[in-house]
Amino acid sequence: MELQKNFFFVFLFISLTYSTSVVDFCVADLKLPSGPAGYPCRNPADLTVDDFTFSGLATPGNGSNIFKLGISEAFDVTFPAVNGLGISVLRADLGVGGVVPLHSHRVTELIYMVEGSMITGFINTDNKPYFKTLNKGDIMIIPQGSYHFSVNNGTTPAVATATFNSANPGIHIATLSIAANNLPTDLIQKITLLDTNQIHELKKIFGGTN
Ligand SMILES: *[C@@H]1O[C@H](CO)[C@@H](O)[C@H](O)[C@H]1NC(C)=O
Ligand SMILES: *[C@@H]1O[C@H](CO)[C@@H](O)[C@H](O)[C@H]1NC(C)=O
């Protein structure tokens, strides 16, 4: 009993020390602009339990694209309850041969392999790659800011979730950064050393101009 009481006070102390928030939650008001701390809060008096649940991950995202990748997101913009709480999650569906292209986020990611398998890896600032095949039930940490990727090299579709310590982790895809905008081809050639024809090919696929 004494021990339990001590644990309780240690827990209380830690909670008080590390929680700086003055509200329990802040369901996003998407009609107002977001800032560095997220969206302003909706009036708690107007909220119901349905504002804290979301069924959008029950169905795969649209995987009819060059990567055979479908993404369903529960970020602040689709699931306003995560606003201000430093958490969000997505569901990724990779067809056979599907790819999550090289990308990074502002924050750390925790991958959980739900079905099938995928080769997943990250590359840190020393350029050292860490990759392996994740199988059903495996989890993997992708440290904040690192480039990472997945490839479904198996014979069945793969399903995984990715949880982030941000309500909006941002998704910064390397190929799209150079080929889905109007950055001039001669500049891209200089800053990447890619072949000009290759850059034109990528721009054709991702809608880039110039
Ligand atoms: C899936 O995406 C493709 C390519 O953008 C589009 O043509 C198709 O209509 C989308 N399907 C659904 C069900 O939204
Ligand atoms: C992908 O699968 C093939 C066939 O099973 C295998 O030979 C190859 O080594 C795999 N690639 C990687 C990177 O694991």
Side-chain angles (χ1 to χ4, degrees):
M1 201 58 191
E2 195 52 31
L3 198 65
Q4 272 177 14
K5 215 163 85 190
N6 285 344
F7 272 126
F8 174 75
F9 283 117
V10 167
F11 175 74
L12 191 69
F13 174 74
I14 290 171
S15 307
L16 292 175
T17 310
Y18 292 103
S19 175
T20 53
S21 185
V22 296
V23 293
D24 293 337
F25 49 76
C26 176
V27 176
D29 185 343
L30 299 179
K31 290 193 293 295
L32 296 170
S34 77
Y39 287 91
C41 317
R42 282 179 54 198
N43 183 351
D46 297 338
L47 301 173
T48 72
V49 65
D50 290 336
D51 291 302
F52 296 91
T53 62
F54 180 63
S55 302
L57 301 198
T59 46
N62 187 346
S64 298
N65 51 60
I66 192 167
F67 297 119
K68 298 184 183 171
L69 169 64
I71 299 277
S72 315
E73 292 171 358
F75 293 177
D76 54 6
V77 285
T78 49
F79 185 33
V82 297
N83 184 56
L85 298 179
I87 193 166
S88 61
V89 62
L90 63 73
R91 167 183 171 159
D93 287 72
L94 273 81
V96 175
V99 169
V100 182
L102 193 68
H103 68 286
S104 70
H105 309 280
R106 291 185 279 266
V107 294
T108 297
E109 169 176 345
L110 178 66
I111 294 175
Y112 170 59
M113 205 64 223
V114 179
E115 287 294 343
S117 66
M118 62 188 192
I119 303 163
T120 295
F122 68 86
I123 302 155
N124 71 2
T125 54
D126 296 335
N127 292 320
K128 179 174 173 183
Y130 296 82
F131 68 99
K132 70 178 287 184
T133 299
L134 302 181
N135 295 304
K136 182 172 178 163
D138 288 344
I139 65 174
M140 181 171 182
I141 279 284
I142 307 294
Q144 57 188 348
S146 59
Y147 286 124
H148 54 288
F149 58 87
S150 295
V151 176
N152 181 358
N153 195 34
T155 54
T156 58
V159 185
T161 64
T163 304
F164 303 91
N165 57 331
S166 166
N168 194 329
I171 301 180
H172 198 192
I173 301 173
T175 325
L176 299 190
S177 297
I178 56 169
N181 54 38
N182 62 358
L183 199 60
T185 297
D186 61 329
L187 258 186
I188 297 173
Q189 198 283 322
K190 285 186 174 64
I191 64 176
T192 62
L193 304 181
L194 286 175
D195 183 71
T196 299
N197 289 331
Q198 178 68 72
I199 297 166
H200 284 144
E201 275 307 304
L202 289 173
K203 285 193 177 228
K204 222 182 285 171
I205 296 169
F206 297 108
T209 53
N210 276 340

